[in-house]
Amino acid sequence: SAQAVGAQHTSDEAVALCLVRHPRGAMTKILLMLALALGAAGLRWPAAVPQRRATSGRAAGARLERAVGPVAVAPVEAPSVGRSSESAVDAMRGAAEAPSPFKKLMAANRAEIAVRIMRAATELNVATVAIYGYEDRFSQHRWGADQSFQLEKKDPADAAVRAYLDIEQIVALAKREGVDAIHPGYGFLSESPEFAQACSDAGITFVGPTVANLKTFSDKTTARVAAIAADVPVVPGTDEPVTTEAGARAFVEEYGLPVIIKAAMGGGGKGMRLVRDMEELGASFASASTEAEAAFGDGSVFLERYIESPRHIEVQIIGDGKGGAVHLCERDCSVQRRYQKVVEIAPAWSLDPALRNKLHEDSLRLMRSAKYLNAGTVEFLVDGEGRHYFIEVNPRIQ
């Protein structure tokens, strides 16, 4: 139960209870609020936000308004965010009571995550905009928004996902329609520093980490460098993306087999191949690169030594962009199929308390050193001897 989970952790971590009770909508809402509540010190919140009744296709929002009625909101000063865990948590609690400074939010994604984003925006009285490819014209996320617009593929022969990777078209559409914030969700452009920069250049708030954060953590090889600099243990691997089979063979010859090939950009199990035999290396390298290119628009990969039968533990972090960060405890994501997480258990079961503390401390040290903004996940592997290794940061919602 939420009460049982709360009893196991300190008061600074009590905010995690909202994720236990309402794990989907609450997490997205926190992201929406953090973009300005934690990212702009001294921001003055608007004195009032006009209440909007849900429009066609947003029955859930209408039912909520009928049930609780319009909510009066007093003027609120943006919370002052310090470096301590207490101040960061207080900032989040204060943000939960403040009106949203956004007038119109675009969900630059599709399907389930886009529905979650728009549901959270509706709860905050923010108008919503959906985008969709032709193949998704009957998808639920389109009908759950106040406005929806079809994206055009540059080449009709392209895969359906290519439309969602068109930064220029998405930003131009947002600017034309008066969107003042874009939430990227996960996948697609969520970890793209180019997309975040394009939003900034257009005067649109990117609801996510800073451009500098994304440049560090969206590329798994630069994330490794940051982890090493922060004295966080890593799995032996390539320090730069590998673009040729010859480069992959050179790594294997130095470190041996087995190795795992991973997409340098993006995550979610895409572009991952386990190699146990040198004869498999060429085909595995090519297929991993092709899959990464299709999923993230970048075929770069890197290699790591493969750890047999590890536990996969990840720590949820929220940062204020100034060197302050808190963790919302950890999850055990070891139950996977084809590198896709099937079950996540929070908190991680049967984890040695000393190891749990090390995972939390290493995650905070890394994210504080990067002055991380918004929500992110620091992922580790734990071997059979209880040694933990950093593998990546997901600089986005999960």
Side-chain angles (χ1 to χ4, degrees):
S1 69
Q3 290 82 1
V5 173
Q8 298 176 19
H9 301 286
T10 67
S11 59
D12 278 351
E13 295 158 356
V15 69
L17 288 178
C18 68
L19 304 185
V20 177
R21 295 192 178 103
H22 308 288
R24 294 181 180 275
M27 190 64 204
T28 308
K29 183 185 289 187
I30 287 173
L31 283 172
L32 287 168
M33 295 180 293
L34 276 173
L36 288 179
L38 298 183
L43 173 69
R44 190 172 190 85
W45 297 88
V49 176
Q51 297 298 312
R52 300 168 49 255
R53 296 198 65 84
T55 56
S56 175
R58 298 167 72 206
R63 287 195 299 271
L64 176 64
E65 186 172 310
R66 287 196 297 269
V68 302
V71 180
V73 183
V76 178
E77 289 288 341
S80 176
V81 181
R83 290 181 175 272
S84 69
S85 297
E86 182 177 356
S87 63
V89 172
D90 287 343
M92 286 183 282
R93 289 170 178 154
E97 301 172 357
S100 173
F102 302 135
K103 294 181 179 179
K104 185 182 287 189
L105 175 103
M106 172 187 284
N109 215 299
R110 65 176 181 176
E112 177 257 3
I113 184 58
V115 172
R116 286 166 58 188
I117 292 167
M118 287 182 282
R119 182 172 61 208
T122 298
E123 293 174 2
L124 295 171
N125 269 324
V126 177
T128 55
V129 175
I131 57 175
Y132 63 94
Y134 175 78
E135 294 83 355
D136 291 330
R137 62 194 182 280
F138 300 122
S139 293
Q140 179 183 355
H141 79 273
R142 176 188 176 186
W143 307 110
D146 293 309
Q147 296 175 286
S148 63
F149 299 92
Q150 181 176 325
L151 299 174
E152 301 296 336
K153 291 186 290 188
K154 293 180 178 179
D155 184 345
D158 283 343
V161 300
R162 298 300 295 183
Y164 295 94
L165 298 174
D166 190 335
I167 294 175
E168 183 178 353
Q169 182 179 185
I170 292 172
V171 173
L173 172 61
K175 196 170 182 179
R176 185 190 77 201
E177 297 301 324
V179 168
D180 53 359
I182 294 180
H183 196 311
Y186 52 65
F188 294 136
L189 296 170
S190 63
E191 300 182 28
S192 169
E194 293 79 15
F195 185 42
Q197 185 64 61
C199 290
S200 177
D201 293 343
I204 298 171
T205 298
F206 178 80
V207 185
T210 66
V211 174
N213 291 156
L214 290 172
K215 286 182 177 179
T216 298
F217 294 119
S218 62
D219 185 327
K220 305 303 184 287
T221 56
T222 56
R224 281 174 51 85
V225 173
I228 293 170
D231 197 27
V232 177
V234 300
V235 179
T238 55
D239 293 329
E240 296 179 351
V242 178
T243 57
T244 65
E245 182 182 336
R249 288 186 179 278
F251 176 82
V252 171
E253 289 170 359
E254 180 177 356
Y255 290 97
L257 293 168
V259 298
I260 189 163
I261 303 172
K262 297 182 178 181
M265 308 294 289
K270 301 293 186 182
M272 295 180 67
R273 298 292 186 276
L274 173 60
V275 180
R276 295 184 179 276
D277 190 311
M278 186 65 91
E279 294 181 358
E280 303 171 356
L281 182 62
S284 296
F285 179 87
S287 61
S289 181
T290 299
E291 186 174 3
E293 171 67 29
F296 312 116
D298 189 323
S300 300
V301 299
F302 71 107
L303 280 73
E304 286 181 339
R305 275 284 295 172
Y306 182 68
I307 298 177
E308 299 283 357
S309 303
R311 291 184 68 177
H312 188 135
I313 310 292
E314 59 187 33
V315 180
Q316 183 71 62
I317 297 292
I318 293 184
D320 63 11
K322 303 175 184 179
V326 294
H327 71 79
L328 302 183
C329 309
E330 77 292 332
R331 304 182 288 265
D332 189 316
C333 311
S334 303
V335 180
Q336 300 184 10
R337 179 177 183 271
R338 297 180 180 175
Y339 308 112
Q340 295 278 347
K341 299 163 188 173
V342 177
V343 176
E344 299 189 7
I345 303 171
W349 60 277
S350 188
L351 194 64
D352 180 81
L355 175 58
R356 189 191 308 274
N357 289 336
K358 287 181 181 177
L359 293 171
H360 294 170
E361 290 168 1
D362 283 353
S363 299
L364 289 172
R365 187 167 62 254
L366 173 59
M367 300 302 251
R368 286 168 177 166
S369 68
K371 295 184 178 180
Y372 190 83
L373 174 67
N374 220 282
T377 302
V378 186
E379 301 195 7
F380 298 90
L381 296 180
V382 178
D383 66 17
E385 298 181 21
R387 296 173 298 195
H388 66 288
Y389 305 94
F390 166 84
I391 51 173
E392 66 180 5
V393 168
N394 289 330
R396 52 173 170 78
I397 190 174
Q398 298 239 140

